[in-house]
Amino acid sequence: MALLFKLLLALTMLSLLSMLCFGCGKPKLAEPEGKPIYTLTDATGTKVSFTKKPERIVSLSISTDEILLDLVEPKRIVALTKYVDDEGISNATEQAKAVKGRVQAGNPEAILALRPDLILIPDFSSADTIQSLREMQQPVYVYKTPSNLAGVRACIRELGQVVGEEAAAQLILQRMEARLALLQQKMGPIPAAKQKWVIFMSDKGAYYSPEHSFNDICKHAQVVNALSQLHFAKPITVGQEEIVRLNPDAFILSGWVDGTDQEPDALVHNLLQDPSYASVKAVKNKAIYALPAKHLLCLSQHIVEASYDLARAVYGQEL
C-alpha cells in the first residue's frame, strides 16, 4: 500500500513538473475570438478565416503596399516595405508617409512585435519565411503574384476580398479601365503596319515571356513587342543575333536598377557603341528610352501608366 502511495505521488509530481516546463516555452498566441464572417483560401491552399475586417495589416511586397494604400485607410496598415519610400520604384511615396512601420519578410520577430491581424505575403517568398510566420501563429495570407495586367486585376479583386473592401477594389479597377480608355482616345487608332517595334533590354539581354506584363504595356501603347514575333511558348532570354534580325525601332530600358544591374546611362552607351547593333534602327536613330521603373516594372494598379510612358517615348505624343 505504501509502495502504491509513493508511485501515485511520483506520477503527480512528474505531471506538475511537465506542466511547469511547458509554461516556460514560447507562449502561443490566442486564437481570434468570435465567429468568422468570411473565409478565403490563399495561394498555398491554406484557409484563412476573419472574424472582422483586418485592422493591423502588414504588407510584404511593393505591389501590396501600393494596392493597400488605395484599398484601406492608412490607420489600418501598421507596416509596409522599405521599397515604398524609393521614388524610383514606388508610386506611393507620399501616401506611405501616413504609415509609420517598415518591415522585411526575413525579420519575423519584428513583424510579430507589430501584433498584426493580417500579413500579406507574395507567393514568391521563401517557404521557410512563410513557415516561420505560421509557426509563430501569425495571421498569414499568401497571395498569387501577378505577372500581367489580367493578373493585376485579379490580385486587386483578391486583396479587396481579404481586407473586406470589395467595393473599393472595384473602384480601383474602374479607374484603371478609364485611364486605358483615355489613352486610346488620345492616341487614336494606329494601323498595325505603322506601329513601332520595340524590345525591352537589360545588361543581361532581352528577356521574353508570353505572360510578361510588358506585352500588355505594349498593346495599350499601340506598339509591337518585337520578341513576340518569335512565338516562344516559354520564357527565354533572346540572343543578340535574333535582336538584330528583328531590327526594332526602339530599345526600352528600366530607369531604375536594384544594384545588381547596369545603370541606364551605361547601358545606353554600351548599346550605342556595340558594333553588333550598328545596323539596328534603334541604335542608328538613337531611339533608346529609359522609362520610369515604378510604372514599367509595376504589378499594381499603376501599371497602366507604363503604356502612357511608352507611347510618349516612341511616338513623341503629348498624352
Side-chain angles (χ1 to χ4, degrees):
M1 192 72 176
L3 180 60
L4 179 59
F5 175 77
K6 289 180 181 180
L7 181 59
L8 289 172
L9 181 61
L11 289 171
T12 301
M13 292 299 293
L14 182 60
S15 177
L16 288 171
L17 182 61
S18 298
M19 292 173 66
L20 287 171
C21 289
F22 179 79
C24 293
K26 185 183 292 184
K28 187 174 181 179
L29 297 181
E31 294 292 329
E33 296 181 359
K35 184 178 180 181
I37 56 174
Y38 57 97
T39 298
L40 301 169
T41 302
D42 76 1
T44 66
T46 302
K47 291 186 180 298
V48 184
S49 295
F50 299 86
T51 59
K52 62 180 180 179
K53 292 182 181 181
E55 297 175 347
R56 298 186 61 81
I57 306 170
V58 168
S59 166
L60 293 179
S61 82
I62 180 65
S63 300
T64 47
D65 290 347
E66 294 180 348
I67 295 171
L68 278 174
L69 286 165
D70 275 357
L71 268 181
V72 302
E73 295 179 354
K75 66 181 180 181
R76 291 177 58 187
I77 307 170
V78 292
L80 302 166
T81 71
K82 64 178 182 178
Y83 294 108
V84 78
D85 300 312
D86 187 333
E87 292 183 351
I89 198 67
S90 170
N91 295 281
T93 53
E94 286 302 313
Q95 286 175 285
K97 290 177 181 178
V99 179
K100 183 179 179 181
R102 299 291 182 268
V103 290
Q104 294 179 324
N107 191 349
E109 289 77 13
I111 297 172
L112 176 64
L114 294 168
R115 297 180 292 106
D117 58 7
L118 172 62
I119 301 169
L120 287 171
I121 185 167
D123 60 357
F124 62 76
S125 301
S126 74
D128 288 344
T129 296
I130 296 170
Q131 184 62 23
S132 293
L133 290 168
R134 284 182 169 155
E135 286 178 352
M136 294 165 68
Q137 302 298 306
Q138 292 298 285
V140 174
Y141 185 94
V142 182
Y143 73 93
K144 180 175 175 54
T145 309
S147 61
N148 53 31
L149 190 53
V152 169
R153 292 186 181 105
C155 185
I156 291 169
R157 291 190 195 95
E158 179 182 13
L159 295 184
Q161 292 178 318
V162 173
V163 300
E165 300 295 344
E166 294 174 77
Q170 189 58 34
L171 284 175
I172 294 173
L173 294 172
Q174 289 173 1
R175 288 197 293 268
M176 288 175 63
E177 298 312 312
R179 283 292 287 166
L180 291 174
L182 180 61
L183 177 60
Q184 301 310 303
Q185 178 185 331
K186 287 185 172 184
M187 292 184 69
I190 299 177
K194 292 186 176 182
Q195 291 185 8
K196 300 287 188 180
W197 283 32
V198 303
I199 290 180
F200 187 9
M201 295 287 288
S202 76
D203 59 347
K204 298 178 178 64
Y207 172 80
Y208 174 76
S209 169
E211 298 297 323
H212 198 275
S213 59
F214 188 63
N215 299 317
D216 294 320
I217 292 168
C218 289
K219 173 187 171 184
H220 290 287
Q222 298 190 73
V223 304
V224 177
N225 180 358
L227 299 184
S228 67
Q229 305 304 302
L230 300 176
H231 305 292
F232 289 113
K234 295 181 180 179
I236 189 171
T237 299
V238 179
Q240 197 173 63
E241 185 178 332
E242 286 286 6
I243 295 171
V244 172
R245 186 180 67 79
L246 288 168
N247 195 20
D249 297 287
F251 284 140
I252 305 301
L253 316 179
S254 166
W256 176 93
V257 293
D258 63 2
T260 63
D261 296 320
Q262 212 168 45
E263 291 292 335
D265 288 347
L267 183 53
V268 170
H269 175 79
N270 289 346
L271 288 170
L272 290 174
Q273 297 302 314
D274 190 333
S276 301
Y277 290 128
S279 64
V280 176
K281 285 185 285 186
V283 170
K284 288 197 295 185
N285 298 324
K286 295 184 178 180
I288 305 176
Y289 308 110
L291 303 186
K294 65 181 181 180
H295 301 153
L296 188 63
L297 306 181
C298 180
L299 291 173
S300 76
Q301 62 272 28
H302 302 285
I303 188 176
V304 297
E305 301 306 319
S307 293
Y308 279 80
D309 298 334
L310 182 55
R312 289 188 193 103
V314 173
Y315 294 118
Q317 288 187 256
E318 293 293 330
L319 299 170

